[in-house]
Amino acid sequence: MSNKIIQEKINKDYEWGWSFDIESEIAPKGLNEEIIRFISYKKNEPEWLLDIRLKSFRYWKELNHPHWAHINFQIPDFQDIIYYAAPKKKTLSSLDEVDPEIIKMFERLGIPLEEQKVLAGVTPNVAIDAVLDSISVKTTFREVLAEKGIIFCSFSEAVQNYPDIVKKYFGSVVPYTDNFYAALNSAVFSDGSFCYIPKGVRCPMELSTYFRINTAGTGQFERTLIIADEDSYVSYLEGCTAPRRDENQLHAAVVEIIAHKNAEVKYSTVQNWFPGNKDGKGGVFNFVTKRGICLEDNSKISWTQVETGSSITWKYPSVILKGNNSVGEFYSIALTNNYQQADTGTKMIHIGKNTRSTIVSKGIAAGYSQNTYRGLVQIRKGTEKSRNFSQCDSLLLSDTCGAHTFPYIEVKDISAIVEHEATTGKISEEQLFYCIQRGIDKEKAISIIVNGYCKDILNKLPMEFAVEAQKLLEISLEGSVG
Amino acid sequence: MSALLSIKNLHVSVNGNEILKGFNLVIQRGEIHAIMGPNGSGKSTLSYVLAGKEEYEMTEGEIIFNGKNILDLTPEERAREGLFLAFQYPIEIPGVNNVHFLRTALNSIRQHKGLEPIDTSEFLKLVKEKQKSLALPSNLINRSLNDGFSGGEKKKNEIFQLSILNPLLAILDETDSGLDIDALKIVAQGVNSYHNKENAVLVITHYQRLLDYIVPDFVHILYKGKIIKSGDKTLALELEKTGYESFKV
């Protein structure tokens, strides 16, 4: 996803639609206790984790698929999915032995797995954890980070090396009983990233996970756990792509963030899973539970997401504001084109005193797509002077698309201040004419105007990501002019 | 060399109402023309139909711009061929950086001419030079396109774009409206420094005032969709004294 790759391919379709022929170890299709035991065995997991998996699975079996979202799709056949696919030759102990084919594949995605030589005194910008199908294939710059006591590794390694930390926090923000897909994930999750920032440490570089689905017929169920101890800071980035395939692929991840006293976590996502073709065939189902907890006083969690991919996006990155004076933020751009559907937003749960949350959501719908903002602002009793500001803007680019806003606001404390603003509009003909009178073609003009519309949120992204996100918006809008 | 712009027997309707009714005009390279007329005479319609705005329908006549039949060209192609409209009410586009926008426009035009995109340092040099000569505050050029600009700043920004894009024909649609005398002088100075033997300017205005600073070679009076009188710059002065009433046919 580097700029160079994006620019090279700017005038084409979904450019990450290729797949590499990587020799993989693949579990048989289907879901049962045996598969779960197999995954757990493969990962050499302790008994307690297998227990959680099995409990989750038994719980999940009793659940009905939820149907309240504003999306229309065929419920996946959970017995027709491969729950474990891992590239062969991978050895957990020797990270230098990554299959050259895999390195090549990530290079084509613009993700360097070879650490560039670190010059004396110069800190690299980004450390990357690369997740291919079910497992993490490489985490870069671990040594540099380790000097500061920062742990950044794959989830599987964390289970082996830091079981106490994992056990303490796993499922503490998103328990397996939370929802249908969280239960499924807790049963079959394969890998993901783990990150621990110790007390008083400001992480010197962006930590990044890059998710790639490669094998056909697989689901991706990653699990990410980020813990920011007292007075620490980390900025975390997440990017994703998948090959173009005719069938729908399921991506059901769980992300948990814990922020201790005075800690700050910034989590940015640029989601570009395969969105399906122009007629709505294929594409990734992106059903993800992301939640952070401001566990102690003065902590802050900030979600920024740019959602351009997936045939269906269904997720609500949320913050539980438990500590006093804690802050939650949610900045979102969701762009849907062709037959894409998005039902996304956030939950801000105010529990601590003087807690503050900000929600800014920009939904852009084109083609035949449906774009929904759904958000909950809950201010509990005794929160004393908590406040929320929400702004939900929708932009319609065609007369066959839909934009919907479902804000839920529950206020139980009389001293709370809650503001909600919403707008729905179209790009004005006057704006468009102004651009084309200056010689800019219509499609480019629309992307310029949409980028401007999203400017406030793009500005929240780390520099490298902001540029990529702008290009992505441009590519995703292609063909939106009738 | 043939005329830069030649309009013959132009009839234009908007929503079924005929606004221009047999309009004729020929502009040669190097000339400055002024069109004056009362409200509703069809001045803005003329500028929009030249630029190619959708709801302005040409029902009769012919417009040849730089040797090409304008009907064959989309609005963006007309712009790239060198037709520039300084809008009466420049639109605000929030979040879109003024200079970035201008660079995109310039590169679209350059691409049309088969030129490479402009080099960054060269472009910034050009921007700086024009910004100074138009006395634009430097923060103005880095703000969002016309967003929160005062009326005068918007008009200056149009002339700033004109000076950078350097088109063959500049149509100024009531660029003087809402300008104080200092801003008017700066705008006029910008237009004059743009103007040369190869290009032409079409000034559309209500008032003679602007023509003190942008001196026209020809003045035309537009009334009810037709030019009813043409002359040199003295016609504008005469008009200022007597008003449009005395020219009614």
Side-chain angles (χ1 to χ4, degrees):
Chain A
M1 283 219 316
S2 77
N3 301 333
K4 201 174 128 229
I5 289 192
I6 289 174
Q7 264 158 354
E8 270 172 15
K9 323 259 173 159
I10 201 143
N11 291 318
K12 294 182 196 158
D13 259 356
Y14 187 74
E15 274 310 318
W16 303 266
W18 41 267
S19 61
F20 258 59
D21 201 4
I22 289 166
E23 212 185 327
S24 294
E25 182 172 30
I26 297 173
K29 273 185 183 175
L31 183 54
N32 49 49
E33 293 202 1
E34 227 172 295
I35 289 283
I36 290 165
R37 284 176 198 280
F38 170 79
I39 295 170
S40 189
Y41 169 78
K42 271 288 170 199
K43 297 190 165 292
N44 188 29
E45 281 177 355
E47 199 60 29
W48 62 268
L49 197 49
L50 176 61
D51 279 350
I52 293 179
R53 286 182 182 275
L54 292 172
K55 258 192 230 161
S56 306
F57 177 63
R58 287 164 198 155
Y59 179 78
W60 176 79
K61 275 201 298 188
E62 303 303 317
L63 295 175
N64 292 317
H65 195 279
H67 54 80
W68 46 265
H70 189 83
I71 49 181
N72 186 8
F73 70 109
Q74 182 87 41
I75 294 172
D77 178 355
F78 295 102
Q79 295 305 335
D80 196 36
I81 292 173
I82 296 167
Y83 288 87
Y84 185 85
K88 276 189 185 162
K89 296 182 190 171
K90 158 85 183 175
T91 42
L92 271 175
S93 52
S94 60
L95 279 152
D96 296 333
E97 284 175 34
V98 179
D99 183 344
E101 277 295 300
I102 293 176
I103 291 178
K104 247 195 257 166
M105 189 191 86
F106 276 94
E107 251 167 29
R108 184 160 165 197
L109 291 166
I111 312 293
L113 293 190
E114 312 266 36
E115 291 177 22
Q116 302 95 319
K117 284 212 175 91
V118 183
L119 299 169
V122 181
T123 317
N125 289 330
V126 186
I128 295 162
D129 183 27
V131 178
L132 179 59
D133 292 334
S134 298
I135 67 157
S136 167
V137 289
K138 169 98 187 185
T139 311
T140 62
F141 296 112
R142 295 143 66 98
E143 291 79 12
V144 181
L145 293 167
E147 280 168 26
K148 300 222 167 216
I150 296 167
I151 305 169
F152 181 45
C153 63
S154 73
F155 195 87
S156 309
E157 286 168 86
V159 169
Q160 301 302 319
N161 301 333
Y162 314 98
D164 295 344
I165 310 181
V166 176
K167 196 172 177 181
K168 182 173 171 191
Y169 292 103
F170 183 88
S172 68
V173 193
V174 182
Y176 67 84
T177 51
D178 192 79
N179 68 68
F180 186 87
Y181 285 100
L184 178 64
N185 175 284
S186 303
V188 301
F189 73 88
S190 37
D191 213 343
S193 299
F194 174 84
C195 164
Y196 174 81
I197 316 292
K199 275 185 195 174
V201 171
R202 208 183 150 83
C203 186
M205 61 177 101
E206 311 275 352
L207 300 188
S208 165
T209 305
Y210 193 88
F211 296 105
R212 172 77 183 170
I213 298 178
N214 194 56
T215 310
T218 52
Q220 193 173 45
F221 306 91
E222 88 267 2
R223 189 89 194 189
T224 296
L225 185 55
I226 299 170
I227 301 136
D229 217 327
E230 286 180 23
D231 298 304
S232 69
Y233 167 85
V234 64
S235 169
Y236 192 90
L237 319 173
E238 173 197 62
C240 14
T241 58
R244 161 188 291 279
R245 296 194 201 285
D246 280 348
E247 85 268 28
N248 293 113
Q249 281 184 289
L250 179 61
H251 172 254
V254 170
V255 176
E256 295 179 282
I257 300 175
I258 295 100
H260 286 282
K261 200 173 166 188
N262 302 328
E264 180 179 349
V265 179
K266 211 177 146 179
Y267 193 107
S268 312
T269 305
V270 172
Q271 186 265 110
N272 184 31
W273 295 115
F274 178 50
N277 69 11
K278 287 202 157 51
D279 305 316
K281 197 163 189 227
V284 171
F285 288 167
N286 189 35
F287 301 163
V288 173
T289 307
K290 285 182 169 168
R291 193 175 304 153
I293 184 164
C294 290
L295 199 58
E296 293 175 86
D297 294 355
N298 311 318
S299 53
K300 178 175 174 183
I301 294 175
S302 179
W303 298 101
T304 304
Q305 60 172 19
V306 177
E307 304 283 322
T308 59
S310 295
S311 84
I312 301 175
T313 297
W314 188 10
K315 64 170 203 177
Y316 313 92
S318 303
V319 184
I320 300 168
L321 298 148
K322 191 165 173 237
N324 295 333
N325 315 313
S326 59
V327 176
E329 293 174 338
F330 175 74
Y331 302 107
S332 170
I333 298 167
L335 188 153
T336 50
N337 197 357
N338 299 316
Y339 288 88
Q340 281 177 279
Q341 304 174 74
D343 190 321
T344 184
T346 184
K347 289 193 258 187
M348 292 291 174
I349 312 295
H350 292 252
I351 300 171
K353 293 182 175 52
N354 190 32
T355 46
R356 283 158 292 151
S357 64
T358 305
I359 299 170
V360 181
S361 160
K362 307 269 180 181
I364 301 124
Y368 295 87
S369 68
Q370 295 294 326
N371 200 312
T372 301
Y373 168 81
R374 187 186 304 273
L376 169 68
V377 175
Q378 190 183 69
I379 300 196
R380 298 203 181 155
K381 217 174 165 135
T383 51
E384 284 178 29
K385 293 182 184 163
S386 285
R387 56 177 308 163
N388 162 265
F389 171 78
S390 301
Q391 182 189 335
C392 305
D393 297 329
S394 313
L395 193 61
L396 297 156
L397 299 185
S398 74
D399 48 17
T400 45
C401 62
H404 319 269
T405 305
F406 301 106
Y408 303 83
I409 300 170
E410 296 169 12
V411 180
K412 298 276 167 60
D413 193 283
I414 199 155
S415 65
I417 300 172
V418 175
E419 292 171 75
H420 182 90
E421 290 177 10
T423 63
T424 302
K426 287 185 159 194
I427 288 179
S428 84
E429 287 298 322
E430 302 297 324
Q431 286 181 336
L432 213 49
F433 184 67
Y434 189 90
C435 295
I436 61 178
Q437 209 299 307
R438 294 297 180 256
I440 298 167
D441 66 55
K442 220 172 173 180
E443 206 157 86
K444 181 88 186 163
I446 288 175
S447 97
I448 286 175
I449 295 168
V450 168
N451 262 311
Y453 182 78
C454 299
K455 184 65 164 285
D456 296 349
I457 293 169
L458 292 170
N459 282 346
K460 303 278 178 197
L461 290 170
M463 194 52 183
E464 297 93 336
F465 246 36
V467 178
E468 282 180 21
Q470 278 185 28
K471 299 284 176 205
L472 258 184
L473 288 178
E474 197 166 312
I475 293 167
S476 305
L477 279 167
E478 273 173 17
S480 64
V481 182
Chain B
M1 204 187 256
S2 63
L4 180 62
L5 181 73
S6 156
I7 304 175
K8 278 185 198 150
N9 189 31
L10 178 66
H11 290 253
V12 175
S13 293
V14 184
N15 298 324
N17 296 324
E18 188 164 68
I19 309 286
L20 292 179
K21 305 162 183 174
F23 178 95
N24 296 289
L25 180 67
V26 175
I27 299 179
Q28 305 290 345
R29 287 161 210 271
E31 292 178 348
I32 297 179
H33 288 241
I35 290 188
M36 304 179 73
N39 292 324
S41 57
K43 298 192 303 294
S44 285
T45 298
L46 176 67
S47 62
Y48 282 143
V49 80
L50 286 171
K53 203 159 191 243
E54 209 168 327
E55 53 282 25
Y56 293 78
E57 193 198 347
M58 228 174 109
T59 51
E60 231 185 297
E62 184 189 65
I63 306 174
I64 304 293
F65 172 63
N66 196 27
K68 287 185 175 145
N69 188 339
I70 218 167
L71 270 188
D72 297 337
L73 304 174
T74 62
E76 54 270 38
E77 285 166 343
R78 295 177 196 190
R80 290 172 199 159
E81 286 284 327
L83 190 149
F84 180 94
L85 172 60
F87 284 80
Q88 187 181 355
Y89 304 108
I91 196 90
E92 301 186 355
I93 310 185
V96 175
N97 178 280
N98 207 15
V99 170
H100 179 73
F101 172 82
L102 194 49
R103 189 174 173 183
T104 309
L106 181 61
N107 282 336
S108 302
I109 293 165
R110 287 174 68 95
Q111 191 184 11
H112 181 74
K113 292 178 180 163
L115 298 170
E116 291 285 307
I118 189 164
D119 175 77
T120 304
S121 64
E122 198 186 325
F123 178 70
L124 291 177
K125 219 174 99 190
L126 186 65
V127 162
K128 198 139 205 188
E129 178 195 316
K130 300 297 180 188
Q131 171 228 330
K132 272 193 184 151
S133 73
L134 281 170
L136 280 173
S138 56
N139 72 341
L140 206 63
I141 59 170
N142 279 315
R143 272 167 35 193
S144 290
L145 184 56
N146 293 326
D147 193 19
F149 286 27
S150 71
E153 286 170 338
K154 284 182 184 171
K155 295 299 176 71
K156 282 188 200 171
N157 197 35
E158 292 293 283
I159 302 307
F160 173 59
Q161 294 185 2
L162 167 70
S163 64
I164 297 230
L165 298 180
N166 195 22
L168 284 173
L169 175 65
I171 304 163
L172 313 182
D173 190 1
E174 299 197 25
T175 298
D176 51 339
S177 66
L179 288 187
D180 61 42
I181 192 73
D182 295 335
L184 188 75
K185 281 182 186 167
I186 289 171
V187 160
Q189 197 191 326
V191 174
N192 288 330
S193 68
Y194 146 79
H195 182 54
N196 61 34
K197 273 189 276 181
E198 297 305 314
N199 61 35
V201 181
L202 177 60
V203 185
I204 293 172
T205 181
H206 278 295
Y207 304 107
Q208 194 272 335
R209 197 178 58 160
L210 178 64
L211 306 181
D212 285 340
Y213 303 100
I214 303 174
V215 181
D217 301 299
F218 301 95
V219 174
H220 312 277
I221 297 171
L222 182 64
Y223 188 75
K224 288 190 175 168
K226 272 186 189 175
I227 287 176
I228 53 167
K229 188 160 181 153
S230 297
D232 61 13
K233 63 181 178 184
T234 57
L235 182 59
L237 293 166
E238 199 183 322
L239 187 65
E240 189 86 346
K241 269 188 222 145
T242 59
Y244 291 107
E245 283 296 315
S246 61
F247 289 93
K248 278 186 189 171
V249 185

